[in-house]
Amino acid sequence: MKKISAYENKKIVIELLDFFDKVCKKNNIEYSLSGGSLLGAVRHHGFIPWDDDADVMLTRPNYERIKKIFSSMEESKFGFINENHPGYYYGFSKLYNKKTWVKTLSPLDRNLKDLGVYIDIFPIDKIPDEEQNLQRFSTEIRELNDHLFLSVPGVYYISQNWFKRNIKRVLFYPRYLKENRPHKTPSEWHALVLDKLKQFDDTDAQNGGFILSEYSTKEIIPYATFMKYRDIKFEGRMFRAIFDYKTYLTALYGEYMELPPKKKRHPKHAYIEYWKE
């Protein structure tokens, strides 16, 4: 199979964003670019130069609406995968291009045989604002997620470096055994994580975020931030963004308009992309 170039990848991702935006607008669903995609839109008016993926986020009610729409769509070019897919152990969804194939390097993804180049779609849930409750919630959901990951064979020693992989396999094996004493399947742990994510959605909690992201508790900001939106330019197109993106980006990156050190300017992908034959 032919590898997808960085240029081709960006074109595919933009096409996915265009389709996502079109569906959201047609159904009056608000969303926002998120993470590095929102940072790229603000700082570079498009992709961060050394990256080529894209993320979006929606409040939980809108996230559940878009899940239903994409899960029932009859679209030959795009596919959709969410938390209910067997062998998929994340707390968010993916919209992907069916004409491509992603060779993932993580044991977490070994059951995703047909996944193509994708964008990630994250739910924003309410999170407790009282410090003690916040710390308890954060600790509990992280522990559940650790149990989930450690219940999937091979995850605890994952690394792209063979030396580190073998070292981790030896060092962390005792913890792997200890963590797996509560004998639950990955699917059972996953169900507990998903329930935990939504624990405070029906309360008057004043914070919000996706706490299982790579940014962890940094992503917790006032829930009101996700109530107002604006258009923002990204690669010559207009997509949606939370109006007060400064609060969000500052929480995640600090001085977000400053470029990171050169040694950190590289993509974080754990996969290789191909065109399907």
Side-chain angles (χ1 to χ4, degrees), residues 34-35 55 92 122-124 142 145 197 209-220 248 252:
S34 67
D55 304 321
F92 54 91
F122 294 98
I124 298 299
R142 284 287 169 184
N145 210 47
L197 277 173
F210 182 71
I211 199 169
L212 290 181
S213 76
E214 62 181 290
Y215 308 104
S216 187
T217 54
K218 285 184 178 181
E219 192 163 323
I220 300 173
Y248 175 81
L252 267 58

Side-chain angles (χ1 to χ4, degrees), residues 49-113:
W50 51 91
D51 210 354
D52 56 8
D53 62 355
D55 304 321
V56 295
M57 58 185 174
L58 308 87
T59 58
R60 175 62 69 173
N62 282 334
Y63 176 79
E64 295 299 336
R65 287 182 63 200
I66 205 69
K67 272 176 57 178
K68 289 181 179 179
I69 292 169
F70 282 140
S71 294
S72 60
M73 71 178 178
E74 296 180 1
E75 169 62 51
S76 60
K77 191 170 185 178
F78 302 109
F80 181 71
I81 187 171
N82 62 47
E83 308 94 311
N84 303 122
H85 185 86
Y88 182 80
Y89 301 124
Y90 300 101
F92 54 91
S93 302
K94 296 178 185 291
L95 181 70
Y96 64 93
N97 184 302
K98 289 183 179 179
K99 296 182 179 180
T100 64
W101 176 61
V102 172
K103 180 182 179 182
T104 59
L105 307 179
S106 169
L108 276 172
D109 302 325
R110 60 164 49 100
N111 295 317
L112 308 180
K113 305 299 184 184

Side-chain angles (χ1 to χ4, degrees), residues 20-21 24-25 27-32 57-59 61-63 65-66 226-231 239-242:
F20 183 84
D21 177 77
C24 285
K25 286 178 177 174
N27 292 277
N28 296 313
I29 296 175
E30 281 287 20
Y31 75 93
S32 173
M57 58 185 174
L58 308 87
T59 58
N62 282 334
Y63 176 79
R65 287 182 63 200
I66 205 69
F226 303 103
M227 294 293 103
K228 190 176 181 181
Y229 296 80
R230 63 164 80 177
D231 286 332
F239 296 113
R240 298 295 279 167
I242 47 177

Side-chain angles (χ1 to χ4, degrees), residues 32-276:
S32 173
L33 297 177
S34 67
S37 299
L38 185 51
L39 174 61
V42 173
R43 194 170 67 193
H44 307 280
H45 307 298
F47 290 103
I48 294 175
W50 51 91
D51 210 354
D52 56 8
D53 62 355
D55 304 321
V56 295
M57 58 185 174
L58 308 87
T59 58
R60 175 62 69 173
N62 282 334
Y63 176 79
E64 295 299 336
R65 287 182 63 200
I66 205 69
K67 272 176 57 178
K68 289 181 179 179
I69 292 169
F70 282 140
S71 294
S72 60
M73 71 178 178
E74 296 180 1
E75 169 62 51
S76 60
K77 191 170 185 178
F78 302 109
F80 181 71
I81 187 171
N82 62 47
E83 308 94 311
N84 303 122
H85 185 86
Y88 182 80
Y89 301 124
Y90 300 101
F92 54 91
S93 302
K94 296 178 185 291
L95 181 70
Y96 64 93
N97 184 302
K98 289 183 179 179
K99 296 182 179 180
T100 64
W101 176 61
V102 172
K103 180 182 179 182
T104 59
L105 307 179
S106 169
L108 276 172
D109 302 325
R110 60 164 49 100
N111 295 317
L112 308 180
K113 305 299 184 184
D114 296 320
L115 183 64
V117 176
Y118 58 81
I119 61 172
D120 285 327
I121 305 169
F122 294 98
I124 298 299
D125 291 295
K126 288 185 177 180
I127 297 172
D129 32 281
E130 199 274 324
E131 185 64 25
Q132 186 175 1
N133 289 337
L134 172 58
Q135 290 301 322
R136 184 185 304 114
F137 173 72
S138 176
T139 299
E140 289 175 351
I141 197 165
R142 284 287 169 184
E143 287 179 348
L144 286 173
N145 210 47
D146 284 347
H147 279 303
L148 165 60
F149 284 2
L150 284 166
S151 71
V152 179
V155 170
Y156 75 93
Y157 56 82
I158 184 174
S159 175
Q160 295 186 46
N161 181 292
W162 72 270
F163 180 76
K164 290 182 178 179
R165 184 164 58 248
N166 287 322
I167 291 295
K168 289 170 69 175
R169 191 166 193 166
V170 174
L171 290 180
F172 298 146
Y173 185 66
R175 184 187 172 196
Y176 169 73
L177 291 178
K178 179 181 178 181
E179 292 283 358
N180 277 282
R181 282 178 182 168
H183 295 293
K184 288 185 173 64
T185 66
S187 295
E188 289 172 328
W189 284 119
H190 188 218
L192 293 173
V193 171
L194 296 179
D195 285 344
K196 195 70 177 178
L197 277 173
K198 297 179 280 188
Q199 180 179 349
F200 293 92
D201 283 346
D202 293 327
T203 72
D204 59 357
Q206 299 299 303
N207 285 333
F210 182 71
I211 199 169
L212 290 181
S213 76
E214 62 181 290
Y215 308 104
S216 187
T217 54
K218 285 184 178 181
E219 192 163 323
I220 300 173
I221 59 175
Y223 189 75
T225 311
F226 303 103
M227 294 293 103
K228 190 176 181 181
Y229 296 80
R230 63 164 80 177
D231 286 332
I232 195 166
K233 185 175 289 187
F234 187 93
E235 297 294 331
R237 293 162 168 78
M238 301 303 290
F239 296 113
R240 298 295 279 167
I242 47 177
F243 191 87
D244 183 14
Y245 59 74
K246 292 181 180 179
T247 293
Y248 175 81
L249 293 177
T250 299
L252 267 58
Y253 305 105
E255 296 295 331
Y256 60 87
M257 293 303 289
E258 296 180 4
L259 292 175
K262 287 187 177 180
K263 63 181 180 181
K264 293 187 176 182
R265 299 179 194 177
H266 55 80
K268 303 175 183 178
H269 301 163
Y271 52 79
I272 305 170
E273 302 155 330
Y274 298 92
W275 290 108
K276 286 184 176 178

